[in-house]
Amino acid sequence: MQRSTALGLIAATVLATCPAAQAAPALHFGPCPEDVSTPYPELRCAGLDVPLDHADPAAGTVRLLISRLPARDPAARRGALLTNPGGPGGPGIAFAGSLSRRLPDVVLNSYDLIGVDIRHTAHSTPIHCVDAATYWRAPLPDPDAEAARERNWRRAAEYAAGCAQRAGRYLPHLTTPTIARDLDLVREALGEQRISFLGYSWGTYLGAVYGRLFPHRVDRMVLDSVVDPSRVWYANNLTQDVAVQRRLGRYFDWVARHHGTFGLGADRERVGTAWRAVRAELRHAPRGPLGPSELIGITFTALYGEDDWIRLAEALAAFHLRGDDRPLVGMVVPKDAATENANAIYNAVECADAPWPADRATWERDAAALARHSPLAAWYNLWSVAPCRTWPAPSGQPVRITGAGLPPVLLLNSVHDVATPYAGALRMHRALPSSVLVTERDSGTHGLYAMAGSAEIDRIGTDYLVRGSLPAGDVAVPGHPKPDPAAPGPPRGRQLVLR
């Protein structure tokens, strides 16, 4: 992997201040691919070739696809707002389309909204490591069962080997700093001296790295659901396990408060017993594509927000109380080629960004220790990144985030976030002296601005993006209301993908 040394950082700064040193071609926008233009016909797309290796431009190029929604009010336009949905591996163009339906009009009046499928994702020279239909055929092996451990390690090694075979030449250059440099070439091709940035989840780390490499190219920056920059990436995955277990308890509390609706128990312990009984039954006899791994995945995903809380509780009740597995089976989402592409990028970037333990004993010791008090995802989360143990590209050292030279930055995080635990937002806040942190209390929603329905967070984010105004200091706002099973609303279709 190409990792920034002090000399590399100086070179990056020179390039940022002297656009002629590495001129990017102008973008020519036209129709987007059909899968984007059908739901979002207002978007226009353009291709941009960037170096495969920024340290060796002669080594070839990879092609990125970029989308743009021009500012609705040219007189009010103040620049370009680049967006990223997280992952790493989230399809950025589709996400920008989704944001075009969520962001306030005053933001859409003020900015060209820009989406980027980062290198090797979605429409940007995509890669795959395995055949999705065979490798991801459900049900997957039980993540917790000791009897399945050898099989899970073999699958992890098979995945890493598949990446080497299918995408080996790209893997050394699939890193967060490389992607940040790609974004600066997007900025240049857009003809912008500075850009604003709205990043969620892993996108917050991408934004922080961009700000480290190109601080004077940043206009305004919103980092929403914030990655801990000091624990990239092995330790971050461990902290997720603790956070998701605490969030699971709060979910069980919510289910218990609605015992009259769901019938799963009137306290946390009884609801937990019901969930574990479903898992035990699936261990004994999986139901089609639904096994214990899928149940854990469904539960983990539901804890990113509250959109699926009612549906999951109803499905658990149908299975546990009435023997009807159809609602829970219906929540299994098959992993298709697009999902496999996202998974490939997720592993590739995290594996190459930072060191990982080389010996199985360390992984197993840490997972076993966590499983004693945080059992939901201790092993499940391990297997999601286990290919990093034998990853075929070298790992570097994470970029040290300092915030030097950055303008004011807005950080947003819920206090019970499972994917980006709150302690990480505090560490990012300390690393970025110009930042202001807005916390949503009594909430675990992952992705807040224009996502969670918090009027106060939406107001703060919009005031900052449009007028540059921030609270005088850190702010804690009330949590948004929890779902009411007596009056369920339609799902909001969230697209954040960091696991």
Side-chain angles (χ1 to χ4, degrees):
M1 180 185 76
Q2 298 297 323
R3 179 56 53 186
S4 298
T5 60
L7 181 60
L9 291 174
I10 293 170
T13 302
V14 170
L15 291 177
T17 54
C18 304
Q22 186 174 331
L27 298 174
H28 301 287
F29 286 93
C32 292
E34 185 176 358
D35 64 313
V36 174
S37 62
T38 298
Y40 308 114
E42 65 275 22
L43 296 186
R44 304 291 282 175
C45 288
L48 176 67
D49 292 328
V50 298
L52 171 66
D53 180 354
H54 285 277
D56 182 12
T61 62
V62 295
R63 192 162 184 81
L64 308 183
L65 194 69
I66 300 153
S67 69
R68 180 176 67 183
L69 178 65
R72 293 176 179 174
D73 183 355
R77 183 187 182 278
R78 63 173 320 279
L81 178 62
L82 271 69
T83 62
N84 183 274
I93 290 175
F95 183 70
S98 174
L99 280 176
S100 73
R101 311 294 168 80
R102 297 169 179 267
L103 290 171
D105 287 342
V106 67
V107 174
L108 297 173
N109 289 343
S110 303
Y111 289 96
D112 292 350
L113 186 64
I114 306 298
V116 181
D117 285 346
I118 63 170
R119 59 170 60 199
H120 308 305
T121 298
H123 303 93
S124 293
T125 322
I127 63 169
H128 302 82
C129 293
V130 294
D131 177 69
T134 54
Y135 185 89
W136 295 114
R137 182 180 295 120
L140 296 177
D142 186 344
D144 299 316
E146 188 170 356
R149 203 151 295 165
E150 287 296 331
R151 184 181 174 195
N152 278 314
W153 279 120
R154 285 197 302 271
R155 283 175 53 81
E158 177 188 345
Y159 195 86
C163 289
Q165 180 180 1
R166 295 177 178 223
R169 68 184 295 257
Y170 299 129
L171 299 183
H173 314 292
L174 247 173
T175 69
T176 302
T178 298
I179 294 163
R181 292 185 172 94
D182 290 347
L183 291 190
D184 200 58
L185 292 182
V186 172
R187 173 202 60 77
E188 189 176 335
L190 289 168
E192 301 289 338
Q193 288 298 306
R194 296 190 298 168
I195 56 170
S196 293
F197 182 81
L198 172 58
Y200 297 82
S201 198
W202 170 80
T204 66
Y205 184 61
L206 174 62
V209 171
Y210 182 87
R212 177 70 175 92
L213 300 179
F214 307 101
H216 50 289
R217 295 302 188 190
V218 176
D219 182 10
R220 293 170 187 170
M221 181 176 284
V222 180
L223 306 182
D224 187 327
S225 303
V226 185
V227 165
D228 185 340
S230 68
R231 299 173 70 85
V232 174
W233 287 106
Y234 180 74
N236 263 328
N237 277 270
L238 301 180
T239 59
Q240 284 183 354
D241 301 337
V242 177
V244 75
Q245 192 69 39
R246 293 172 178 167
R247 175 80 159 152
L248 180 67
R250 293 182 177 92
Y251 174 60
F252 287 166
D253 288 340
W254 175 86
V255 174
R257 287 196 294 272
H258 299 284
H259 174 60
T261 299
F262 303 121
L264 288 169
D267 56 50
R268 176 189 293 200
E269 289 71 24
R270 288 183 174 86
V271 176
T273 297
W275 187 92
R276 289 187 291 273
V278 173
R279 183 185 59 185
E281 192 163 342
L282 291 174
R283 281 177 168 169
H284 174 69
R287 307 296 177 89
L290 176 66
S293 181
E294 288 69 32
L295 175 66
I296 294 169
I298 290 166
T299 305
F300 198 147
T301 301
L303 299 177
Y304 273 52
E306 292 97 27
D307 291 348
D308 279 336
W309 278 21
I310 294 171
R311 185 184 178 196
L312 176 56
E314 290 175 339
L316 290 169
F319 190 110
H320 182 61
L321 301 176
R322 298 181 290 279
D324 181 0
D325 61 14
R326 291 173 297 177
L328 206 50
V329 169
M331 295 185 74
V332 177
V333 179
K335 289 182 168 63
D336 58 11
T339 310
E340 159 51 24
N341 170 242
N343 192 77
I345 303 302
Y346 180 83
N347 277 272
V349 173
E350 292 206 357
C351 294
D353 264 358
W356 293 78
D359 62 301
R360 280 178 46 171
T362 299
W363 295 69
E364 293 184 7
R365 181 198 65 218
D366 291 342
L370 281 167
R372 285 194 286 271
H373 56 80
S374 300
L376 175 67
W379 289 99
Y380 175 85
N381 223 10
L382 181 156
W383 303 125
S384 73
V385 290
C388 293
R389 189 179 75 87
T390 58
W391 196 247
S395 298
Q397 295 298 322
V399 173
R400 180 171 173 264
I401 303 302
T402 67
L406 282 179
V409 174
L410 176 60
L411 307 181
L412 305 171
N413 223 91
S414 65
V415 74
H416 301 309
D417 193 318
V418 302
T420 52
Y422 186 65
L426 295 176
R427 291 191 182 97
M428 182 71 86
H429 187 26
R430 289 193 291 269
L432 301 178
S434 66
S435 64
V436 171
L437 174 61
V438 177
T439 302
E440 187 179 28
R441 299 191 303 262
D442 189 32
S443 169
T445 296
H446 186 62
L448 298 175
Y449 178 60
M451 293 278 180
S454 169
E456 184 63 7
I457 285 178
D458 290 350
R459 181 193 65 77
I460 292 170
T462 298
D463 281 351
Y464 170 62
L465 285 174
V466 176
R467 288 172 281 278
S469 60
L470 281 173
D474 297 343
V475 175
V477 304
H480 57 273
K482 299 296 186 291
D484 179 0
R492 290 190 291 271
R494 304 170 63 78
Q495 296 189 36
L496 302 182
V497 298
L498 182 125
R499 293 189 291 276

